[in-house]
Amino acid sequence: MKNKTLSYTFIVIIHALIALVVFVAPFLSKVYALLIPVVGFVIVSRSKNRNNEVLWVAAYLVGAEVFLRMTGGNLNNEYVKFAVVFFMLMGMVYSNFSTNSFVYWIFLILLVPGILLTFTETDYNGDVKKSLVFNLSGPICLAISAIYMFKRKIHFDNLQTILVAIGMPILTTTVYLFLYNPSVKDVVTGTQSNFETSGGFGPNQVSTVLGLGIFIFFTQLILFSKTKKEMFLNAALLIFVSYRGVVTFSRGGVITGIVMIVCLLILLYYFSNSKGRNKFALIFVFTGLMGAGIWTYTSVQTGGLIDKRYANKDAAGRVKKDNLGGREEIMDSEIKLFLDNPIMGVGAGMGKQFRKESFGADVASHNEITRMLSEHGIFGIFGLFLLFITPLVLYINNKQHLYILSFYIFWLFTINHASMRTAAPAFVYALTLLSVEVKIPKKPEI
């Protein structure tokens, strides 16, 4: 156990140092971005994916994506999504996939009419090509990941290791945010999303990945801290990630992380015996006190502006007219496009072109649900229905998957406020499809 603790601590230190090194020498971010898939390819090739190594490699890429993008390491915006697809396909070559995953092949087929419509109704210029890739890379990443993970058996401990693989680069991101902006007081002047506290990158995406990090380090704290040293370390990581998530002033990711934790606690309480349930009072109190402490400290550091942000008020204390930062107007336009084109939609990637004509500016969708409706029409409805219902049906015979509702919530909430800009919602959605087994310690023979 001592070696395990040291190993975990060593990994944490290494990922903190990665942030420091890239902060000092930014060009190394590109080296880091190239090393991950190269090393991953070597690992998977040598092991022939006997233990689903592709999941660990893909998970690490998902956790590192926002860090790579904010530090200029990404070769392009879809780099990590394509890399995840590559490793999922590589896993299928070595380990095959379930024939029952045909539902996600159907989902891919449902995207085809919208693609064909885009081909036929435009001259297919460079902007449309870029928009097509931008809007379809997320759904394709989700489908390919889902096909690989569909009912694939994995132990709960191994699933947690996958989460840690996501969490370590998120820790790197958090340390980098601190180095980029050590003093929150100096840069917070209003209640809008803050690029300074988000490393100069999009606060919405930073908040999303930090919200996932909040959930990961919470699970590490309450379920996998076997010693006091591990408990202290994971509590410190949880507080650190939570604080930097809140001060992005982007609410979506933080709220998502909190709801994920609530879902987990509900399932844990429901499946615990009477002795286990008695311990939950301590967990609830501890979680509540930690949350209150983080919020109080953040409120002091931001001069009370964070309270106004979550109350949907401006710096002067006036309630804002919109609740979603202007996203309502985009959603309304997408719903209108769907009502005008209910069968085929306007074509994959074409919603942005229509909004450019309406608003006079390029405005990308923030909501994957309304985007699917407007661009794919009734085919989009069928596709969304398959995505919504399949994990819930599988859960009927997969009750040991304690994270399934939390993962499902992450995907659902994220696609509603951040669409599928990153690979995280696609990959985490696919994790809901794993067939999870909890190892129960055997009683020693007498």
Side-chain angles (χ1 to χ4, degrees):
M1 184 59 67
K2 184 177 180 182
N3 291 334
K4 181 181 176 183
T5 303
L6 289 174
S7 177
Y8 180 71
T9 304
F10 179 73
I11 293 171
V12 168
I13 294 172
I14 287 296
H15 283 83
L17 289 175
I18 290 173
L20 177 61
V21 169
V22 172
F23 181 76
V24 174
F27 74 93
L28 290 177
S29 181
K30 289 192 182 296
V31 177
Y32 183 44
L34 291 171
L35 275 178
I36 298 171
V38 169
V39 173
F41 181 81
V42 173
I43 291 172
V44 175
S45 298
R46 287 182 175 179
S47 67
K48 298 189 184 301
N49 199 43
R50 281 187 294 269
N51 298 304
N52 293 307
E53 283 82 2
V54 292
L55 291 180
W56 278 266
V57 178
Y60 193 88
L61 282 162
V62 167
E65 182 174 14
V66 169
F67 175 72
L68 295 177
R69 292 177 71 172
M70 72 165 57
T71 55
N74 256 15
L75 301 183
N76 59 59
N77 286 339
E78 316 309 323
Y79 172 65
V80 168
K81 293 176 192 172
F82 290 146
V84 169
V85 169
F86 171 79
F87 280 104
M88 293 297 101
L89 292 174
M90 191 176 180
M92 292 180 205
V93 171
Y94 282 119
S95 308
N96 212 332
F97 57 90
S98 171
T99 55
N100 293 325
S101 62
F102 68 89
V103 63
Y104 292 100
W105 291 111
I106 294 174
F107 172 75
L108 286 173
I109 292 171
L110 289 171
L111 298 176
V112 173
I115 298 173
L116 295 176
L117 186 61
T118 299
F119 274 109
T120 58
E121 292 195 359
T122 70
D123 58 359
Y124 207 60
N125 56 48
D127 290 338
V128 175
K129 286 182 183 179
K130 185 177 179 180
S131 183
L132 196 63
V133 173
F134 176 80
N135 286 287
L136 291 180
S137 58
I140 291 173
C141 181
L142 182 151
I144 300 301
S145 299
I147 290 168
Y148 177 78
M149 291 190 229
F150 192 89
K151 299 185 79 170
R152 189 171 293 274
K153 291 184 179 179
I154 189 171
H155 286 292
F156 185 66
D157 288 353
N158 290 335
L159 176 59
Q160 185 64 24
T161 307
I162 293 171
L163 286 190
V164 172
I166 299 175
M168 287 300 111
I170 293 177
L171 172 62
T172 301
T173 305
T174 311
V175 174
Y176 182 85
L177 293 176
F178 175 78
L179 295 171
Y180 187 92
N181 168 236
S183 177
V184 172
K185 280 184 177 180
D186 296 339
V187 297
V188 175
T189 57
T191 60
Q192 68 278 6
S193 296
N194 196 300
F195 280 81
E196 286 295 319
T197 59
S198 302
F201 190 62
N204 196 21
Q205 294 177 38
V206 175
S207 170
T208 295
V209 75
L210 293 185
L212 181 57
I214 290 170
F215 173 78
I216 290 170
F217 289 112
F218 179 81
T219 60
Q220 278 291 102
L221 175 62
I222 68 166
L223 296 178
F224 292 89
S225 294
K226 305 300 183 182
T227 65
K228 289 183 179 179
K229 183 176 181 179
E230 280 190 352
M231 187 176 295
F232 177 80
L233 175 60
N234 285 317
L237 295 176
L238 174 60
I239 292 170
F240 186 42
V241 174
S242 300
Y243 170 66
R244 294 306 308 200
V246 174
V247 297
T248 63
F249 277 71
S250 183
R251 298 165 292 185
V254 175
I255 293 173
T256 299
I258 293 171
V259 177
M260 290 174 74
I261 289 172
V262 171
C263 288
L264 173 63
L265 291 177
I266 290 173
L267 280 185
L268 287 174
Y269 183 83
Y270 179 78
F271 287 109
S272 295
N273 54 29
S274 57
K275 184 178 179 180
R277 290 182 178 182
N278 291 334
K279 295 181 179 180
F280 263 89
L282 181 61
I283 293 176
F284 287 137
V285 171
F286 175 76
T287 304
L289 289 174
M290 182 178 287
I294 294 169
W295 186 265
T296 302
Y297 180 77
T298 307
S299 182
V300 171
Q301 289 294 305
T302 60
L305 289 174
I306 194 66
D307 303 272
K308 294 178 181 177
R309 171 61 172 171
Y310 278 76
N312 199 43
K313 296 178 180 178
D314 61 19
R318 296 166 298 197
V319 178
K320 297 180 181 179
K321 293 181 179 179
D322 62 88
N323 295 312
L324 302 175
R327 293 185 180 90
E328 296 98 328
E329 190 175 357
I330 301 173
M331 292 166 63
D332 288 343
S333 70
E334 290 180 319
I335 292 173
K336 185 178 184 301
L337 284 175
F338 167 68
L339 294 175
D340 292 339
N341 306 270
I343 306 300
M344 295 289 290
V346 296
M350 292 301 297
K352 188 175 180 180
Q353 304 294 323
F354 279 86
R355 283 190 294 278
K356 185 176 182 179
E357 296 174 5
S358 302
F359 301 150
D362 286 334
V363 183
S365 176
H366 287 263
N367 189 300
E368 191 67 15
I369 295 175
T370 55
R371 188 199 68 78
M372 285 284 288
L373 294 179
S374 65
E375 296 186 2
H376 296 273
I378 195 170
F379 297 98
I381 292 178
F382 290 146
L384 288 169
F385 177 77
L386 293 177
L387 297 185
F388 284 133
I389 200 70
T390 305
L392 301 179
V393 172
L394 290 182
Y395 182 58
I396 295 173
N397 296 312
N398 194 20
K399 295 294 176 63
Q400 294 193 54
H401 195 336
L402 297 176
Y403 294 159
I404 188 169
L405 291 183
S406 299
F407 290 162
Y408 189 80
I409 285 294
F410 176 80
W411 167 73
L412 183 60
F413 279 28
T414 301
I415 65 171
N416 271 280
H417 73 83
S419 195
M420 296 186 76
R421 306 287 175 80
T422 64
F427 185 78
V428 172
Y429 172 89
L431 292 176
T432 66
L433 307 175
L434 291 170
S435 180
V436 179
E437 298 176 356
V438 176
K439 291 181 181 179
I440 302 176
K442 294 181 180 179
K443 294 182 179 180
E445 294 183 4
I446 299 175

